[in-house]
């Protein structure tokens, strides 16, 4: 096991930092090399057991169960069991595969036609059909709903019901990643009956939209919503009328347990079956009584700057801070070497990532020179926000120490996860630490939401606006030739590294602890749990 070289420094520094906390939670986005399959135990004498209650203890509670209203991994990890998409990505092969759609055909450059399954009903008995698809996509794109997930779907011009089980999606222009986008959690299908009730309950008050769906999440998935005790747990139960393979257990309970040591202890004594995350420093200990899955990710962890606020509206200030960060030191010291140090905004696992770009390298002397050129030779005072993810807090402390070399005085503030997303979305911050998981597996889903100016106030929390970056990302969206798209993305990554709206830190490894009493659990490269095939063994 790698040693945590910064651990003593971080503990000592932490005593000097006053953290203004609003509550408790984490993300892994909307916030790795090893076992990417499951924790199947190689014991021929083990037998599977039906029934029982699967307990997952997680750091962060879901923000919302309306898939059109949230854009974070903790929410998606619950939603993924309630709802389903038209198609899914096989992360082993990279291929798009059927789910609620059985097949599809590209009719022309702007039109895709999908044939739907005919044996599916929503949990409330409402039939799944082409009309349901149209209602969902129309709602997702309804400005009144204000979905943070609409960005990827915005190029859709119209959704047409061809017949009961055939739907046609037309885009405004050719849209290269359209099928990848349909795998996105924004494309989860919600019961049209519930959607109609949501609009009815809200009436003319659009601020009330999504409230009914959030309280009554109804999809087609293998689990059904049962109860939500805020701050404690969300309970899902088996869908006995599921169209596909039914789960072997009776219920799955997502318990919010912020304390890492408590999660580990509960896993050891059997009060939990899956815990997320396992802290890097606890891997050896947890491996003494459970399995630790290490999954390479498509995520990026970054320190963002508010490009609309001085002094971060000056790219030389952003570049200086980026050059003051030793990414390898953070990877080894904070993450015990789990994950990959970032050279730019895209994980090596994402289509469109380029190795032929100049990385944001560590050079403290260049950082000092850039800061002087920007007009801040004597530094300045600022603050950095984070949520209560322990590694992000440690990164904030490391950054605080590093920036003293530039005479930059940094105050650290820690916030509850939901409040953190709300306040950074509103642009109230100066610097912040966050992550992004590109669930489509395509560079469009990784770069456009984070850095296109049209998404400022939504996913673009750096509030970065650059006409050339906008132009490249827009061109890549409508380009259907793969090589040309790759060229656009290479240019965009080069510009983003140079303009430094964010300091790209690392691509994390998802570390989950799994009891040896269960089998069949996986987590995909976007951080989403796969629990449909989990079974208890004895």
């Amino acid at each position: 096991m790698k040693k945590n070289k910064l651990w003593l420094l971080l503990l000592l520094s932490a005593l000097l930092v006053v953290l203004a906390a609003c509550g408790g939670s984490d993300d892994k986005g909307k916030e790795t090399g090893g076992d990417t399959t499951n924790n199947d135990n190689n014991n021929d004498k083990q037998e599977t057991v039906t029934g029982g209650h699967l307990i997952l203890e997680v750091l962060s509670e879901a923000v919302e169960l309306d898939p059109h209203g949230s854009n974070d991994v903790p929410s998606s990890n619950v939603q993924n069991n309630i709802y389903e998409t038209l198609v899914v990505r096989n992360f082993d092969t990279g291929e798009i595969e059927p789910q609620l759609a059985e097949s599809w055909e590209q009719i022309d450059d702007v039109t895709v036609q999908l044939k739907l399954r005919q044996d599916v009903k929503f949990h409330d008995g409402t039939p799944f059909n082409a009309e349901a698809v149209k209602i969902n996509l129309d709602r997702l794109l309804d400005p009144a709903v204000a979905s943070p997930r609409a960005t990827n779907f915005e190029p859709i011009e119209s959704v047409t019901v061809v017949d009961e089980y055939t739907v046609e999606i037309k885009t405004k222009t050719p849209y290269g990643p359209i099928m990848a986008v349909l795998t996105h959690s924004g494309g989860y299908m919600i019961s049209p009956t519930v959607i109609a009730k949501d609009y009815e309950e809200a009436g003319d008050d659009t601020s009330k939209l999504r409230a009914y769906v959030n309280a009554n999440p109804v999809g087609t998935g293998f689990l059904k919503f049962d109860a939500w005790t805020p701050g404690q747990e969300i309970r899902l139960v088996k869908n006995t009328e599921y169209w596909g393979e039914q789960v072997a257990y009776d219920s799955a309970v997502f318990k919010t347990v912020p304390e890492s040591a408590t999660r580990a202890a509960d896993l050891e004594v059997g009060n939990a079956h899956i815990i997320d995350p396992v802290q890097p420093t606890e891997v050896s200990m947890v491996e003494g009584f459970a399995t630790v899955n290490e999954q390479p990710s498509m995520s990026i962890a970054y320190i963002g700057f508010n490009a609309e606020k001085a002094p971060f509206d000056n790219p030389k200030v952003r570049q200086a801070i980026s050059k003051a960060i030793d990414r390898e030191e953070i990877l080894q010291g904070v993450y015990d070497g789990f994950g990959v140090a970032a050279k730019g905004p895209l994980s090596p696992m994402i289509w469109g990532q380029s190795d032929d770009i100049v990385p944001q390298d560590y050079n403290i002397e260049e950082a000092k020179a850039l800061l002087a050129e920007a007009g801040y030779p004597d530094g300045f005072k600022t603050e950095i926000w984070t949520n209560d993810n322990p590694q992000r807090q440690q990164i904030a402390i490391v950054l605080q120490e590093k920036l003293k070399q530039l005479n930059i005085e940094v105050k650290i503030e820690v916030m509850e996860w939901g409040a953190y997303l709300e306040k950074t979305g509103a642009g109230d911050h100066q610097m912040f630490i966050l992550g992004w998981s590109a669930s489509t597996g395509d560079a469009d889903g990784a770069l456009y939401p984070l850095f296109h100016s049209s998404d400022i106030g939504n996913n673009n929390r750096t509030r970065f606006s650059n006409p050339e970056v906008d132009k490249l990302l827009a061109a890549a969206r409508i380009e259907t030739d793969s090589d040309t798209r790759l060229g656009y993305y290479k240019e965009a990554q080069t510009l983003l590294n140079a303009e430094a709206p964010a300091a790209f830190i690392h691509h994390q490894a998802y570390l989950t602890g799994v009891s040896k009493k269960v089998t069949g659990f996986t987590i995909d490269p976007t951080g989403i749990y796969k629990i449909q095939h989990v079974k208890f063994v004895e």
Side-chain angles (χ1 to χ4, degrees), residues 85-275:
T85 48
L86 298 174
V87 291
V88 295
R89 180 179 291 278
N90 182 324
F91 287 104
D92 291 329
T93 66
E95 297 297 318
I96 306 296
E97 296 181 347
Q99 191 166 67
L100 292 177
E102 290 186 321
S103 62
W104 53 93
E105 178 184 1
Q106 192 79 39
I107 304 298
D108 55 42
D109 285 349
V110 296
T111 311
V112 61
Q113 189 177 95
L114 299 100
K115 298 287 186 181
L116 309 177
R117 295 192 63 91
Q118 300 184 25
D119 56 347
V120 180
K121 288 187 178 182
F122 290 93
H123 301 152
D124 60 2
T126 304
F128 170 74
N129 52 29
E131 185 64 29
V133 175
K134 176 174 173 57
I135 289 170
N136 271 270
L137 293 180
D138 285 351
R139 179 182 188 259
L140 175 63
L141 295 169
D142 182 354
V145 173
S147 172
R149 286 173 164 165
T151 301
N152 290 320
F153 296 82
E154 186 274 335
I156 294 176
E157 182 176 63
S158 63
V159 182
T160 303
V161 174
V162 178
D163 59 40
E164 188 174 6
Y165 295 106
T166 307
V167 66
E168 201 166 81
I169 299 173
K170 189 179 291 291
T171 54
K172 300 166 188 174
T173 62
Y175 186 29
I178 180 60
M179 292 310 298
V181 164
L182 292 178
T183 71
H184 190 275
S185 48
Y188 284 144
M189 293 289 117
I190 308 166
S191 167
T193 302
V194 174
I195 288 176
K197 187 69 173 176
D198 188 70
Y199 277 110
E200 179 187 334
E201 292 276 312
D204 295 331
D205 187 354
T206 57
S207 68
K208 293 182 178 179
L209 285 171
R210 308 201 314 246
Y212 187 82
V213 175
N214 184 47
N216 301 273
V218 176
T220 62
F222 53 86
L223 295 177
K224 302 189 297 185
F225 175 74
D226 182 48
W228 185 350
T229 305
Q232 297 183 37
E233 67 178 40
I234 297 174
R235 181 179 297 273
L236 310 180
V237 296
K238 180 177 183 176
N239 178 10
T240 57
E241 297 181 359
Y242 182 59
W243 61 268
E245 181 183 346
Q246 294 190 12
V247 296
Y249 48 88
D250 296 324
S251 71
V253 183
F254 293 76
K255 291 189 173 183
T256 306
V257 181
E259 299 81 13
S260 175
T262 302
R263 293 195 301 272
D266 284 347
L267 180 64
E268 182 174 18
V269 300
N271 291 336
H273 304 109
I274 298 164
I275 61 171

Side-chain angles (χ1 to χ4, degrees), residues 1-81:
M1 179 55 56
K2 307 172 184 69
K3 301 295 184 183
N4 194 326
K5 301 179 181 65
L6 295 183
W7 190 246
L8 290 176
L9 169 64
L10 295 172
L11 289 177
L12 290 171
S13 299
L15 295 175
L16 304 177
V17 179
V18 177
L19 302 177
C22 302
S25 249
D26 171 52
D27 88 315
K28 283 174 289 193
K30 201 181 157 272
E31 122 187 25
T32 37
D35 179 8
T36 62
T37 53
N38 56 41
N39 65 302
D40 287 343
N41 297 290
N42 298 317
N43 187 340
D44 295 335
K45 295 182 180 180
Q46 288 184 327
E47 296 182 358
T48 59
V49 180
T50 58
H53 307 289
L54 181 66
I55 308 298
L56 301 94
E57 289 192 352
V58 298
L59 174 60
S60 302
E61 184 174 47
V63 174
E64 192 169 330
L65 295 185
D66 181 343
H68 295 167
S70 59
N71 201 26
D72 63 297
V73 173
S75 295
S76 294
N77 261 322
V78 179
Q79 295 169 9
N80 186 61
N81 310 290

